[in-house]
Amino acid sequence: DEKYLPRALQSGAGAVIAGEFAAGSSAARSSGKPLLISRHPRLAFARAARFLREENRDGPDVCVHATAVVNASSRLAPGVMVEEHAVIADEAEIGAGTRIGAGCVLGRAVKIGQQCEIYPHVTIYAGTTLGDRVIVHAGAVLGSDGFGYVRDPKSRRHEKFPQVGKLVIEDDVEIGANTTIDRGALDETRIGRGTKIDNLVHIGHNCRLGENVVIAAQTGLSGSIVIENDVLLGGQVGIGEHARIEEGVMLGGQGGVLPNKVLRGKGVAFWGTPAQPVRQYLKQLAALARLDRKSTRLNSSHLV
């Protein structure tokens, strides 16, 4: 922001990343501080910060803590780090430069790509696949059974439907703390490249999320939902089974989508339950407020 430029130039920073507004600044010229001009300074700063804080884990050695348990049939590429009390089952594959945090459990035949960061106490069920540069925060559970049952009309008991599919997470996905993503029942659950998922999110079995989807905390997705590319879901959103959210839709916090419904409209913001375009929703709220005021006046006059 332009108003912060003088303070930034007077700070102890070795250099300042600023927007194009700073190119002709007299304060910048007189400060003598290196000034890096960017059309998108916040993005440039994020990339620079990541570059400066990343550790080099491309070395030839695999580092496994003495308390970790790694099955002999698992394959660990150069630069892999396995921290205290982690457990890696048979036939797992872990790519170069990936870190497995303390207390993590990786099931049979789990595949994890390069330069991933798996924070402590993450559980990854058997057969789950993670691409490159995936970040999974503490306490997440990936590939657990979906919530699927068939009721026996005679005994009224709920019989478990097979949950034998897979979970595939593509490159550059980030998954928040204590988030749970179920494996497919017979097919697969898939999280598309570049998708970012906040803490305490639940994604049910057979869901398919596109690329660059953003999901805020405490959102819940039922089974067999399709979320297309570039969708934004606010906090505490709830979506019913077999619903479809088409490309570029924005759904505000606590919005609700009923089962089998479709939301479409690239760049259109939806809100409310059931979700509808935000302008329409606000008009309805205004109409209700007018009715409430009218009702209050009528009741007051009646009492008088």
Side-chain angles (χ1 to χ4, degrees), residues 275-296:
Q276 51 195 308
V278 66
R279 289 185 178 181
Q280 180 178 333
Y281 181 73
L282 292 175
K283 284 181 180 179
Q284 291 179 3
L285 289 180
L288 287 172
R290 288 194 297 272
L291 286 172
D292 181 64
R293 289 194 296 269
K294 184 176 181 180
S295 174
T296 301

Side-chain angles (χ1 to χ4, degrees), residues 79-102:
V80 167
M81 297 184 65
V82 182
E83 297 181 347
E84 297 91 328
H85 301 289
V87 176
I88 300 177
D90 55 311
E91 300 182 20
E93 298 179 17
I94 302 176
T98 287
R99 184 200 300 269
I100 307 299

Side-chain angles (χ1 to χ4, degrees), residues 181-192:
I181 306 178
D182 295 344
R183 68 196 307 112
L186 301 176
D187 193 1
E188 70 176 20
T189 301
R190 180 173 288 267
I191 310 298

Side-chain angles (χ1 to χ4, degrees), residues 5-298:
L5 180 60
R7 288 174 55 189
L9 294 170
Q10 293 166 14
S11 72
V16 174
I17 301 173
E20 294 174 332
F21 58 79
S25 168
S26 58
R29 288 195 299 270
S30 61
S31 74
K33 192 183 294 291
L35 192 64
L36 310 177
I37 304 297
S38 171
R39 184 175 297 176
H40 304 288
R42 190 174 178 86
L43 177 60
F45 179 84
R47 288 174 173 167
R50 183 181 65 199
F51 175 79
L52 291 171
R53 72 186 290 267
E54 278 181 346
E55 298 178 40
N56 182 5
R57 299 203 296 269
D58 292 327
D61 297 329
V62 173
C63 182
V64 178
H65 194 273
T67 61
V69 178
V70 180
N71 189 279
S73 65
S74 293
R75 290 185 288 178
L76 277 58
V80 167
M81 297 184 65
V82 182
E83 297 181 347
E84 297 91 328
H85 301 289
V87 176
I88 300 177
D90 55 311
E91 300 182 20
E93 298 179 17
I94 302 176
T98 287
R99 184 200 300 269
I100 307 299
C104 289
V105 177
L106 277 58
R108 182 179 183 276
V110 164
K111 293 180 174 60
I112 300 179
Q114 301 180 26
Q115 297 294 329
C116 294
E117 184 76 47
I118 312 301
Y119 281 91
H121 299 289
V122 168
T123 300
I124 304 178
Y125 279 56
T128 297
T129 298
L130 278 65
D132 297 335
R133 299 173 302 279
V134 172
I135 300 171
V136 185
H137 289 278
V141 178
L142 307 180
S144 53
D145 285 3
F147 192 68
Y149 298 89
V150 180
R151 191 172 190 185
D152 183 340
K154 186 175 181 180
S155 67
R156 302 197 304 278
R157 293 182 58 184
H158 293 86
E159 300 287 344
K160 188 178 182 69
F161 190 84
Q163 303 292 312
V164 295
K166 295 184 179 297
L167 169 61
V168 178
I169 296 172
E170 298 180 3
D171 297 345
D172 300 302
V173 170
E174 183 161 2
I175 297 169
N178 295 317
T179 283
T180 59
I181 306 178
D182 295 344
R183 68 196 307 112
L186 301 176
D187 193 1
E188 70 176 20
T189 301
R190 180 173 288 267
I191 310 298
R193 179 183 61 82
T195 286
K196 311 300 181 186
I197 301 171
D198 199 359
N199 304 332
L200 297 166
V201 170
H202 172 70
I203 298 175
H205 61 265
N206 299 337
C207 286
R208 301 185 71 88
L209 275 61
E211 298 182 356
N212 302 314
V213 173
V214 176
I215 302 179
Q218 298 184 348
T219 288
L221 306 185
S222 299
S224 302
I225 291 168
V226 175
I227 307 288
E228 295 187 4
N229 297 344
D230 301 310
V231 167
L232 304 179
L233 301 181
Q236 296 186 333
V237 162
I239 302 179
E241 61 185 12
H242 296 282
R244 186 181 194 94
I245 313 298
E246 296 195 350
E247 182 175 358
V249 165
M250 297 177 287
L251 180 54
Q254 295 189 332
V257 180
L258 299 177
N260 301 301
K261 296 297 182 181
V262 177
L263 293 190
R264 61 171 55 93
K266 191 172 184 178
V268 175
F270 290 80
W271 201 18
T273 302
Q276 51 195 308
V278 66
R279 289 185 178 181
Q280 180 178 333
Y281 181 73
L282 292 175
K283 284 181 180 179
Q284 291 179 3
L285 289 180
L288 287 172
R290 288 194 297 272
L291 286 172
D292 181 64
R293 289 194 296 269
K294 184 176 181 180
S295 174
T296 301
R297 287 196 300 269
L298 288 173

